[in-house]
Amino acid sequence: AGRLGLEFGPARRFVEPLWMHAVHARHPTLCFIGVPLAVPCPVPLFEAQSRFVAAHLRQELAPLEEREAWVASRREAVGART
């Protein structure tokens, strides 16, 4: 996690810098499926993440600036909420 710059939010509610909770914002070919989120039914989420990642890997969906802006907005929205 250290070399990749992965950080858990203050209340461990998100992993930074994962864009859309699945794609590393600065290393867009590094993707994660099933990063724990508090969802009542995780399997459909994992399926959706798989499809999103596949679409992203076929054609990069957003430029670096947009990915980093999303991560920053998520950090601000979640903040230190528990």
Side-chain angles (χ1 to χ4, degrees), residues 24 26 31 41 50 60 67 72 81:
H24 196 293
R26 291 181 291 282
C31 304
C41 199
S50 299
E60 192 170 297
R67 294 190 308 264
R81 277 191 309 185

Side-chain angles (χ1 to χ4, degrees), residues 6 10 15-16 19 21 29-30 33-34 36 38 42 48-49 57 61 71 77:
L6 296 176
V15 179
E16 187 177 340
W19 174 57
H21 306 288
T29 58
L30 179 60
I33 304 298
Q49 283 181 323
L57 292 175
L61 298 177
V71 171

Side-chain angles (χ1 to χ4, degrees), residues 42-75:
V43 173
L45 171 68
F46 301 161
E47 290 177 3
Q49 283 181 323
S50 299
R51 291 173 190 222
F52 173 78
V53 166
H56 168 74
L57 292 175
R58 277 194 304 275
Q59 174 183 355
E60 192 170 297
L61 298 177
L64 174 63
E65 296 80 21
E66 186 176 325
R67 294 190 308 264
E68 288 183 333
W70 186 91
V71 171
S73 71
R74 184 70 185 153
R75 182 185 331 110

Side-chain angles (χ1 to χ4, degrees), residues 3-34:
R3 286 187 9 207
L4 295 174
L6 296 176
E7 299 287 334
F8 291 92
R12 296 189 165 285
R13 305 235 344 145
F14 63 95
V15 179
E16 187 177 340
L18 295 187
W19 174 57
M20 299 291 181
H21 306 288
V23 178
H24 196 293
R26 291 181 291 282
H27 303 285
T29 58
L30 179 60
C31 304
F32 300 85
I33 304 298

